[in-house]
Amino acid sequence: MSPEPANLKHVPVPVVQFTAAEREAQALAPATLADAVKQFTATGCLHLDGAFPVELVESWRAAFLARHGDFLAAEKFEGTKPVGHRRIQLPVEFSPPFSAPSLYAHPFILPILQALLGPRMFFGIFGSVTSLPGAEAQGLHRDNPLLFGDAINRFLPPYAINLFVPLIEFNDRTGTTRLFPGTHVRSGPEALGHAGVDPVVRVGSCLLMDYRLYHQGTANRSDTIRPMLFCAYHVPWFKDYVNHRAWPFLRIADADYAAIPAEHREMFAWIEHYRGGLY
């Protein structure tokens, strides 16, 4: 793993637990939503414990391996984007089972995102980052440079948020996403005053992360691949051309676009402006 400066302050990643009543109703209680928004605003990240049924995530893992498993096992990486040593990003076709609202519009996660980004937010990017056996730790980075500089960044709300859904458990053997809580509103030497946290994320749980937060994938010491689905949400005026200038935002066929439920179509309104583009 990449070394960290000594004597750093450790800021935990907030963990959101869902009550039995919330699970039965498939809706967040107002107090849970308010606490999640407060914690995310302060730290730039959330660990949502058990947000998805385990069997649902296992079905996504099976589908992912059916589509990409042989390709990854053979280490033929044409059409992928390297994002570190033995770590690749690849587009995942937004079609069943990955086009299910239970993934991109989860009833626990969507209200948190809308509270942070506004009700007219967009679902803008979908894909996978997979760490291969033997992958070394990724370099420390933000997913996008600060848009408005250090001086005012600390006063600004998020403009883009990533949802990370592990398809196998994140732990100290398979690796995880090391997060540096609070660094979404801190820069330079001040940001380095916050130590990284390596959350263990079980299957069914997920992470939310401000685009501005410093983070890095840790080493994969296991003998299996570590696939992770990611969904990126953003305010209407933002588009990630740093990472996706020559890379698809979303691979979606016309039939799958037409199948998006009416109550979620506003999240995909940007697609009409990119007809003929990279998706």
Side-chain angles (χ1 to χ4, degrees):
M1 295 183 182
S2 298
E4 296 176 359
N7 302 319
L8 295 184
K9 179 181 178 183
H10 286 267
V11 180
V13 175
V15 179
V16 178
Q17 305 277 357
F18 305 107
T19 66
E22 287 173 322
R23 293 184 184 282
E24 183 177 357
Q26 284 294 284
L28 286 185
T32 303
L33 175 58
D35 183 62
V37 170
K38 179 181 178 181
Q39 298 271 29
F40 186 93
T41 300
T43 64
C45 52
L46 288 176
H47 180 171
L48 305 179
D49 187 47
F52 301 97
V54 171
E55 59 272 16
L56 180 60
V57 179
E58 289 176 342
S59 74
W60 293 338
R61 179 173 68 236
F64 178 85
L65 293 176
R67 291 189 191 185
H68 305 291
D70 291 345
F71 170 82
L72 292 168
E75 299 195 5
K76 298 178 179 178
F77 302 141
E78 296 84 358
T80 69
K81 179 181 179 181
V83 288
H85 174 256
R86 294 182 61 76
R87 192 183 310 268
I88 60 170
Q89 179 178 325
L90 69 155
V92 176
E93 187 76 25
F94 192 73
S95 60
F98 304 112
S99 57
S102 56
L103 174 57
Y104 68 84
H106 191 282
F108 294 163
I109 302 172
L110 192 60
I112 299 173
L113 292 166
Q114 290 175 328
L116 290 163
L117 295 173
R120 194 175 176 265
M121 64 167 198
F122 289 165
F123 174 76
I125 307 169
F126 178 64
S128 168
V129 172
T130 297
S131 170
L132 303 172
E136 298 173 357
Q138 193 181 28
L140 183 64
H141 65 285
R142 287 177 160 128
D143 278 343
N144 207 82
L146 298 180
L147 297 183
F148 304 106
D150 294 348
I152 64 171
N153 175 67
R154 68 182 63 239
F155 303 109
L156 299 178
Y159 53 82
I161 296 173
N162 267 322
L163 167 64
F164 295 153
V165 183
L167 298 184
I168 68 168
E169 181 176 283
F170 282 5
N171 55 45
D172 59 359
R173 181 164 174 76
T174 61
T176 185
T177 300
R178 176 178 294 161
L179 303 173
F180 290 74
T183 58
H184 62 310
V185 291
R186 298 178 178 89
S187 302
E190 186 182 7
L192 295 178
H194 292 256
V197 180
D198 296 351
V200 173
V201 187
R202 63 189 179 96
V203 173
S205 299
C206 58
L207 298 171
L208 282 181
M209 188 191 76
D210 192 304
Y211 237 55
R212 299 169 293 175
L213 195 79
Y214 276 115
H215 64 287
Q216 60 188 151
T218 64
N220 183 351
R221 299 185 176 88
S222 74
D223 58 1
T224 187
I225 65 172
R226 186 180 84 233
M228 174 189 78
L229 300 176
F230 70 89
C231 305
Y233 304 82
H234 55 82
V235 294
W237 52 261
F238 174 75
K239 202 69 180 163
D240 184 359
Y241 289 109
V242 171
N243 297 298
H244 294 270
R245 184 177 299 277
W247 192 255
F249 296 114
L250 186 67
R251 288 199 188 278
I252 182 170
D254 288 344
D256 293 310
Y257 178 52
I260 295 169
E263 63 267 31
H264 301 312
R265 290 190 69 85
E266 182 67 17
M267 294 169 60
F268 298 82
W270 64 270
I271 289 178
E272 294 300 330
H273 299 288
Y274 288 85
R275 285 293 182 185
L278 299 170
Y279 62 89

